[in-house]
């Protein structure tokens, strides 16, 4: 069930400050649930784009001037300033922010509100674990938050009503609210979000001067590992600078592992692959990676499951992928996960469809009967 098909408990009007990807997506989701949304942005162009896609009404043009809830969707380097300004401007509103760094924002808000403790009581930090490579309102999606964790970061002086407002907002747009302190949040996102972004960007940077014939060999593995390298550099600069401490700690561990691996690979390059312990060193890295992947939560956040994999050749023609989905549904096979791989110059693509292992034999037989070409691997 989509977020918009349920009655919303969030009471408007809601003012969203910042009309980029998160702000515009939140506006779309709230308006789909019947909540009045107002928008504010320092960029008139960004504000009009968010308005044009239906994310809300510019605050200066809204009939209602006093919001019940203010959501600051500004970059982390200015989020605390925006929060404090909103707390002072709207004395009857709960204020939250959705910045991806929490310690710096919370500390900045509490320091600025030290002369008036009542301000801090109406503030609660939050962070939806949702996003995409495209930035700005042009990439907004009302379902961006659906099924994603939404971290709610309360501080000791926070009013329980503010925490409830943030949790309600997250639930209304289809997210799963999780309460966490700021330090734990920042350590967690450093590991699962910020360092992966850096490593993807570092790898992609090696491609800038790569030979054309090398890039012509690129497969899905390279595309998978560099996908997020297309993210907005300005936004990520602010994020990484704001969470530098936890990011450095994770990178130090990565560097230690990399240094050890380099020692053994150099030995293999100089003395041969079967000397110097290089085989064992590489195997340890791969096994540790297997163990880490096995800990990533599975579908809907549950325990990871092993699915059977169908590999189906898809003609590069309109409607063929949709036909595959339709026919899998007709034979009562649920698609648990999907990956698409394209080879340069080929008129077909490869769809890797993950299904329940108990249905794999029936799915293969029925798809082949319907004329699909399947890739089979000999044991």
């Amino acid at each position: 069930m989509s977020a918009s098909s349920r009655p919303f408990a969030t009471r408007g009007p809601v003012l969203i400050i910042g009309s980029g990807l998160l702000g515009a997506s939140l506006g779309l989701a709230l308006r789909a649930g019947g909540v009045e949304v107002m928008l504010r942005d320092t960029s008139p162009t960004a504000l009009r784009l968010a308005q044009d896609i239906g994310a809300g009404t510019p605050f200066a043009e809204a009939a209602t001037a006093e919001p019940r809830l203010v959501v600051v969707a500004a970059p982390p380097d200015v989020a605390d300033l925006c929060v404090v300004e909103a707390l002072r401007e709207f004395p009857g509103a709960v204020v939250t922010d959705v910045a991806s760094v929490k310690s710096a924002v919370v500390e900045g808000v509490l320091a600025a509100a030290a002369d008036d403790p009542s301000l801090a009581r109406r503030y609660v930090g939050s962070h939806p674990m949702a996003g995409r490579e495209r930035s700005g309102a042009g990439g907004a999606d009302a379902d961006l938050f659906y099924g994603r964790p939404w971290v709610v970061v309360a501080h000791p002086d926070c009013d329980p009503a503010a925490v409830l407002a943030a949790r309600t907002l997250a639930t209304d747009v289809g997210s799963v609210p999780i309460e966490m302190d700021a330090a734990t949040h920042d350590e967690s996102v450093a590991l699962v979000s910020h360092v992966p972004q850096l490593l993807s960007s570092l790898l992609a940077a090696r491609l800038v001067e790569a030979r054309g014939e090398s890039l012509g060999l690129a497969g899905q593995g390279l595309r998978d590992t560099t996908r997020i390298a297309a993210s907005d550099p300005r936004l990520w600069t602010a994020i990484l600078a704001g969470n530098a401490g936890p990011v450095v700690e994770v990178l130090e561990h990565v560097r230690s592992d990399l240094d050890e691996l380099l020692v053994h690979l150099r030995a293999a390059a100089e003395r041969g692959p079967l000397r110097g312990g290089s085989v064992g060193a590489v195997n340890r890295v791969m096994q540790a990676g297997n163990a880490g992947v096995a800990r990533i939560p599975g579908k809907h956040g549950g325990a990871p499951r092993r699915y059977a994999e169908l590999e189906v050749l898809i003609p590069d023609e309109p409607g063929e992928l949709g036909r595959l989905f339709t026919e899998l549904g007709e034979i009562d096979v649920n698609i648990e996960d999907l990956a698409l791989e394209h080879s340069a110059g080929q008129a077909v693509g490869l769809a890797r469809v993950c299904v329940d292992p108990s249905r794999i034999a029936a799915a293969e037989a029925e798809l082949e009967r319907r004329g699909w070409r399947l890739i089979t691997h000999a044991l």
Side-chain angles (χ1 to χ4, degrees), residues 100-104 181-191 194 243 246:
S100 57
V101 175
K102 291 271 73 82
S103 292
D181 65 80
T184 302
H185 167 274
D186 288 355
E187 292 168 4
S188 300
V189 295
L191 178 62
H194 300 173
N243 200 29

Side-chain angles (χ1 to χ4, degrees), residues 153-348:
V153 181
H155 56 86
D157 298 325
C158 189
D159 191 326
V163 177
L164 179 60
R167 290 184 62 93
T168 300
L169 174 68
T171 302
D172 278 343
V173 298
S175 290
V176 181
I178 299 172
E179 293 194 36
M180 190 178 288
D181 65 80
T184 302
H185 167 274
D186 288 355
E187 292 168 4
S188 300
V189 295
L191 178 62
V192 304
S193 176
H194 300 173
V195 169
Q197 174 65 55
L198 273 177
L199 295 180
S200 178
S201 296
L202 288 168
L203 175 59
R206 297 299 91 216
L207 306 177
V208 173
E209 298 180 359
R211 294 191 299 269
E213 55 265 36
S214 299
L215 294 176
L217 302 178
Q220 198 61 35
L222 183 66
R223 293 183 175 90
D224 286 345
T225 51
T226 59
R227 177 182 58 83
I228 58 175
S231 298
D232 185 350
R234 291 175 298 177
L235 175 61
W236 274 99
T237 298
I239 291 171
L240 293 165
N243 200 29
V247 168
V248 165
E249 186 173 347
V250 178
L251 285 176
E252 292 281 8
H253 289 294
V254 173
R255 183 173 68 175
S256 177
D257 292 342
L258 186 58
D259 286 342
E260 181 181 358
L261 182 61
L262 281 171
V263 169
H264 292 286
L265 289 178
R266 273 199 198 95
E270 293 169 0
R271 300 195 297 269
L274 301 182
R275 303 182 65 181
S278 60
V279 173
V282 173
N283 186 64
R284 285 194 297 274
V285 169
M286 302 305 295
Q287 286 188 330
N290 289 167
V293 168
R295 295 201 62 202
I296 298 175
K299 188 177 180 182
H300 306 309
R305 288 185 57 191
R306 288 191 175 273
Y307 296 113
E309 191 174 85
L310 284 166
E311 294 189 330
V312 188
L313 291 176
I314 308 292
D316 190 12
E317 299 173 2
E320 289 299 300
L321 185 59
R323 181 167 68 90
L324 174 64
F325 289 176
T326 297
E327 295 189 5
L328 283 171
E330 289 173 353
I331 59 180
D332 197 30
V333 173
N334 188 47
I335 298 174
E336 304 291 349
D337 204 351
L338 171 71
L340 292 175
E341 182 172 340
H342 304 278
S343 297
Q346 298 299 311
V348 296

